[in-house]
Amino acid sequence: MSMAGTGVRVRLLGPVEVVVADGAQAVNGVRRKAVLATLALHVGRVVSVDRLIDVVWGEQLPATAANTLQRHVSYLRGVLGEPGSIVARQPGYVLNTGPESTDVQAAERLLELARRSSDPNERVAHLTAAVALWRGPPLADVAGSAWLEEQAEHLARLRLEAERALAEARLSVGEHARLVPGLELLVRQHPLDEHLHAQLMLALYRDGRQGEAVATYRRLRDTLRETLGIDPSPRLRDLECAILRQDTAIAAPTPTAAAQPPVAAQLPPPVPTFTGRDAELAALDALVDRGGAVVVSGTAGVGKTALAVHWAHRAAERFPDGQLYVNLRGFDPAATPTDPARALHGFLEALGVPVARMPSDPEGMVSLYRTTVAGKRLLVVLDNARDAEQVRPLLPGSPDCLAIVTSRDQLLPLVVTESAQPVPLDLLSPGEARDMLARRLGARQIAAEPGAADDIADRCARLPIALAIVAARAATNRHFSLATVAGELGDLGAFHGGDEATDVRAVFSWSCRTLSPPAVRLFRLLSLHPGPDVSVPAVASLAGITPQASGPLLTELTRANLLTEHTYGRYAFHDLLRAYAAGLADEAEAPADRTAAVHRLLDHCLHTAHAADLALHPHFSDISLPPPRAGVTPERPRNKVAATEWFTAEVPVLLAAVPLAARAGFEGHAWRLAWAMAGFLHRQGHWQDWLGTQRIALAAASRIGDQTGQGHAHRSLGLACSRLRRYDEADDHLRRALDLFTDVGDHAGRAHTCLNLGQLAERQGQHHQALDHSRRALTLFRRAGNEAGQGYTLNAVGWQEGLLGNHHRALESCGEALRKLQEVDDVQGQADTWDSLGHAHHQLGDDRRAIACYEHALALFTQVNDRYAEASTYVNLGGSHRALADVGATRVAWRRALRILDELGDADADAIRADLAQLDTSRIH
């Protein structure tokens, strides 16, 4: 039987995996993976038994190899989900999963499409998709077979060819600037590859970095001479010469028109089996050109979201400027309703507004939001609203926009004051309920038992959520008659005149009876998670099991429609399901067991957040943590990129976990967790979230008399208030922190706080006070033995000396700072210090040395992706070039700065634009 079209895919470009339509399937055992990999590399072709045995066992051939191979094949058929996926065909077996059922086939097809395409942008798209298929070293977990190792080498070469081709295609469309970091990584991985070096040289040159391009050539030349005793090829030497003479033949392609702001498309997928609601859909159609707001209200589980999303997709083309969506979580039993400021932040990001342009105050965000959407035709879906006050700031305020609000509340204040149009949503009609069952179970089954179908609809009170669960039960047990299904509902005593919540609870109870005991326990415990969603590792810690054990249980719950995997690897409850699970937990889990589960969850959040924060800032600051409880498996982000990705995914959970910890009696977790996420919230511009979590942290630490926790919370509040320009509040918090750290003898805490007081003073132009604070911080960092802290503080001292005109002292302090920061390999601190050194040399008139310092700083800022600092250093670099009357170099540096500042939406861009204009109209003296 052919498996084409079933969604089976065998992945070889990384660890060997099987992915079927409903998720990943583990393949256990190295030899089983080797059998699958060998068949997949010959997909559609017969591989003899002798060949398979030779590949899998080699010289270590057991006497039972043929029988063992049969068992492996039988096992693999089960993993693939179809008996016909591997067919016995003389003289062996054939993988019969259809065309392009392996990632190798997909990659080869995309590479061929790219070769055939004459459109450079299309080539970039094909090659990007191809390269993305590699998840690591190919066939990574089937080592030991000589033939498979040869195939792995071939696939690794194919990846390199794809990466080279992608770089070439991106150069052809002018993506040289964004290409540089990736090419730098590739040349480190392939230090003798002339092709990659040539691409990097060209990308650097086109990005205005001629010196770095030449330096790249010379490093390769030296490496080739030392390693192989040869010189670079004539082609590469010719490219160096072209770069040195600035040959127009290698100039960047003519830039295309500026990219338009993105069109927001945030709608979740529609429900495929949506049915009925003709009157409500017609009412929404009649309002499409009216603008303003519509309130869709009704009881929980009645299908408000399904209606709104279905209609929004249907009407999307009427709103060409985009569709925004947010779940306001107004009636989530375990989470705080979404703050309107947070929702606005997400909307502005979707509309292309840089974080740097977003105001810190809620009123400013509302104003910017309405200014941004003015004149646009947008659809805004505000789902699950708590009350009118939560909704009002999110209404677009433009007559060409339409907002659809869903809520259990009628939101009469919006109807009265905002002229919102109410669209009440009631239970399904009998005909609609029958149609819904037909869409899910098939018209033939409903026609065969119409009375039983109507009985099910009645017993479910025609509530869509209840109908969906019962239909799923019937669909997965086709041997049950509908009459049997209806009878079981009655046997549960569920639907005999109780209210709707009781009806839904009975359906959930019946659905839970189909689960294994471990899955039922996990379902109960998930209600203790604060939401809005949960990852697989967090589930494991919550339940005190391994991540490997949690996967099958999550799959079981998802298949029973008791959990949804709304994005890959993240699971969420419907709010009624969460409430039901919480009731089960209250009944079945002892209070001590519930507390232990919450403790494990908070341990997981805290220890993983702490590890992620240390990955981002490994040397500068730390706090002590109590060890995690047994059963907790914290994640360990392996590098800065992984740490950033983890924080990005988990911030909504962490924001809910801090108040959960405070409420549940885990005050120590509350302040430590707020500490661990403060740096990320700071860098991402989530000022209000930063402030809110630290206020909870301070209250929690105060309740238990934890002076260290109070000190950290006050210090972080001081930083947040300083960033929001609340300088008096910032000063008060920082001085309270200093007193607390002094009382507990925390020299590192005192040192950090003194450094922050210096930064606060500098922001207010109080340079002498700033210097005093920084010197005091330096003394304390030395006492604490914190080398990175000493480096940062010596740089601050040097910078402040420079602002006071003491440039020789600045050089001395910054030089010592650089040595310490290099010793601890703190790249961010080194970059900051090189910039400070450049400023001092510039002020002393030694602009050639200043330029060298700025170039060091730029190379390091690129590594840490500090875009603001990079732009600032380009401005400074241009100033030094201008002092040397090098107009061309000045223009290149300032244009680079301007490009970054424009991308960030920073107001300083206008000043740089004016300086560039002056370069073209005046003479530099």
Side-chain angles (χ1 to χ4, degrees), residues 459-808:
R459 291 173 185 267
C460 289
R462 305 193 308 278
L463 190 66
I465 184 64
L467 286 165
I469 294 172
V470 175
R473 168 68 169 163
T476 54
N477 294 275
R478 290 288 184 180
H479 56 286
F480 287 2
S481 68
L482 293 183
T484 299
V485 173
E488 288 186 353
L489 290 173
D491 290 342
L492 293 172
F495 311 113
H496 52 83
D499 61 20
E500 292 157 9
T502 303
D503 292 340
V504 173
R505 177 182 170 82
V507 174
F508 291 159
S509 172
W510 173 81
S511 187
C512 280
R513 291 186 180 185
T514 67
L515 301 174
S516 64
V520 174
R521 174 178 178 267
L522 180 58
F523 179 65
R524 295 194 298 262
L525 294 180
L526 282 168
S527 69
L528 304 175
H529 189 279
D533 58 9
V534 59
S535 67
V536 175
V539 168
S541 291
L542 173 69
I545 58 180
T546 66
Q548 292 76 15
S550 67
L553 300 181
L554 289 167
T555 299
E556 188 176 351
L557 290 171
T558 303
R559 287 177 175 171
N561 284 315
L562 293 169
L563 208 61
T564 59
E565 188 178 11
H566 68 98
T567 190
Y568 181 74
R570 301 195 70 85
Y571 296 82
F573 273 119
H574 180 281
D575 52 5
L576 289 180
L577 286 168
R578 180 184 290 277
Y580 173 68
L584 289 183
D586 288 342
E587 295 169 4
E589 302 288 335
D593 292 335
R594 295 199 301 272
T595 300
V598 172
H599 196 164
R600 287 193 300 269
L601 173 65
L602 293 174
D603 273 355
H604 179 92
C605 293
L606 175 58
H607 283 267
T608 308
H610 181 257
D613 185 65
L614 287 183
L616 294 171
H617 295 94
H619 306 292
F620 193 43
S621 179
D622 198 8
I623 57 172
S624 62
L625 303 184
R629 289 175 64 90
V632 177
T633 52
E635 300 165 71
R636 302 294 180 194
R638 61 191 179 280
N639 53 38
K640 288 180 170 60
V641 173
T644 299
E645 290 174 349
W646 184 86
F647 267 125
T648 300
E650 295 290 343
V651 155
V653 174
L654 299 177
L655 291 174
V658 172
L660 169 65
R663 291 194 306 268
F666 295 100
E667 287 86 353
H669 286 74
W671 77 256
R672 289 183 175 90
L673 190 52
W675 179 94
M677 64 191 298
F680 183 80
L681 294 176
H682 184 188
R683 288 187 299 277
Q684 295 297 311
H686 299 311
W687 317 121
Q688 297 299 330
D689 289 336
W690 186 17
L691 202 64
T693 54
Q694 292 304 324
R695 284 173 174 161
I696 295 171
L698 179 59
S702 298
R703 272 200 304 276
I704 59 174
D706 188 329
Q707 289 183 290
T708 298
Q710 293 173 59
H712 283 295
H714 273 301
R715 175 175 167 259
S716 200
L717 283 167
L719 291 172
C721 289
S722 176
R723 182 61 184 81
L724 295 170
R725 300 186 180 183
R726 302 177 186 176
Y727 296 133
D728 290 342
E729 290 180 60
D731 185 76
D732 180 63
H733 281 298
L734 290 173
R735 293 188 183 280
R736 287 172 180 260
L738 189 61
D739 291 342
L740 286 161
F741 287 135
T742 301
D743 289 345
V744 298
D746 186 341
H747 298 308
R750 291 173 62 200
H752 283 293
T753 308
C754 287
L755 181 60
N756 301 145
L757 283 166
Q759 294 163 344
L760 177 62
E762 182 189 319
R763 285 193 174 193
Q764 298 175 85
Q766 300 165 357
H767 300 308
H768 287 287
Q769 294 92 321
L771 183 58
D772 290 342
H773 285 304
S774 296
R775 285 173 173 164
R776 190 176 311 152
L778 180 58
T779 299
L780 292 167
F781 275 127
R782 284 172 173 162
R783 190 177 304 167
N786 187 323
E787 294 292 323
Q790 292 174 51
Y792 274 92
T793 310
L794 282 164
N795 181 48
V797 168
W799 177 256
Q800 287 148 10
E801 289 277 19
L803 293 178
L804 292 169
N806 303 322
H807 304 300
H808 289 290

Side-chain angles (χ1 to χ4, degrees), residues 188-239:
R188 286 196 296 272
Q189 294 170 344
H190 306 279
L192 302 179
D193 192 310
E194 291 196 15
H195 193 115
L196 291 173
H197 279 80
Q199 291 174 327
L200 176 58
M201 290 164 61
L202 194 56
L204 288 166
Y205 173 73
R206 289 178 176 178
D207 195 34
R209 298 156 71 176
Q210 182 183 17
E212 293 177 63
V214 173
T216 298
Y217 169 81
R218 291 175 182 171
R219 280 195 300 272
L220 175 62
R221 180 193 62 194
D222 294 344
T223 301
L224 289 172
R225 287 176 177 174
E226 293 171 6
T227 306
L228 303 175
I230 62 174
D231 281 329
S233 66
R235 177 176 173 271
L236 205 62
R237 294 199 298 270
D238 290 344
L239 178 59

Side-chain angles (χ1 to χ4, degrees), residues 208-482:
R209 298 156 71 176
Q210 182 183 17
E212 293 177 63
V214 173
T216 298
Y217 169 81
R218 291 175 182 171
R219 280 195 300 272
L220 175 62
R221 180 193 62 194
D222 294 344
T223 301
L224 289 172
R225 287 176 177 174
E226 293 171 6
T227 306
L228 303 175
I230 62 174
D231 281 329
S233 66
R235 177 176 173 271
L236 205 62
R237 294 199 298 270
D238 290 344
L239 178 59
E240 183 210 19
C241 292
I243 289 171
L244 289 171
R245 66 173 180 267
Q246 300 184 358
D247 194 329
T248 57
I250 61 170
T254 302
T256 57
Q260 296 299 311
V263 175
Q266 294 186 319
L267 295 176
V271 177
T273 53
F274 181 88
T275 188
R277 305 300 194 190
D278 293 338
E280 291 81 5
L281 290 169
L284 291 170
D285 286 337
L287 297 169
V288 69
D289 293 320
R290 180 182 178 276
V294 178
V295 175
V296 178
S297 61
T299 189
V302 79
K304 302 179 292 297
T305 299
L307 170 68
V309 172
H310 177 84
W311 182 84
H313 278 282
R314 194 171 80 167
E317 64 182 15
R318 305 283 294 274
F319 299 91
D321 294 317
Q323 306 87 42
L324 300 174
Y325 172 89
V326 65
N327 183 351
L328 294 174
R329 304 191 179 281
F331 294 90
D332 191 321
T336 305
T338 300
D339 181 39
R342 183 168 182 79
L344 285 170
H345 192 284
F347 282 176
L348 290 169
E349 280 188 331
L351 293 167
V353 177
V355 172
R357 284 188 54 209
M358 295 186 194
S360 59
D361 62 296
E363 293 78 12
M365 292 190 78
V366 172
S367 177
L368 178 59
Y369 166 59
R370 290 177 178 163
T371 299
T372 303
V373 304
K376 296 182 184 293
R377 187 154 176 77
L378 280 167
L379 177 63
V380 182
V381 180
L382 307 174
D383 195 18
N384 195 15
R386 178 76 175 183
D387 53 35
E389 292 306 310
Q390 188 186 28
V391 170
R392 283 195 177 100
L394 305 176
L395 297 176
S398 171
D400 294 321
C401 297
L402 179 66
I404 300 183
V405 187
T406 73
S407 180
R408 298 183 195 179
D409 192 281
Q410 293 181 334
L411 300 182
L412 289 177
L414 288 184
V415 177
V416 173
T417 63
E418 311 294 336
S419 298
Q421 294 297 305
V423 178
L425 200 60
D426 203 349
L427 299 172
L428 294 172
S429 69
E432 288 174 332
R434 191 184 310 112
D435 289 343
M436 180 177 175
L437 290 172
R439 290 289 297 271
R440 290 176 175 264
L441 298 174
R444 180 177 299 177
Q445 187 170 4
I446 302 304
E449 297 182 76
D454 289 342
D455 194 15
I456 289 173
D458 290 341
R459 291 173 185 267
C460 289
R462 305 193 308 278
L463 190 66
I465 184 64
L467 286 165
I469 294 172
V470 175
R473 168 68 169 163
T476 54
N477 294 275
R478 290 288 184 180
H479 56 286
F480 287 2
S481 68
L482 293 183

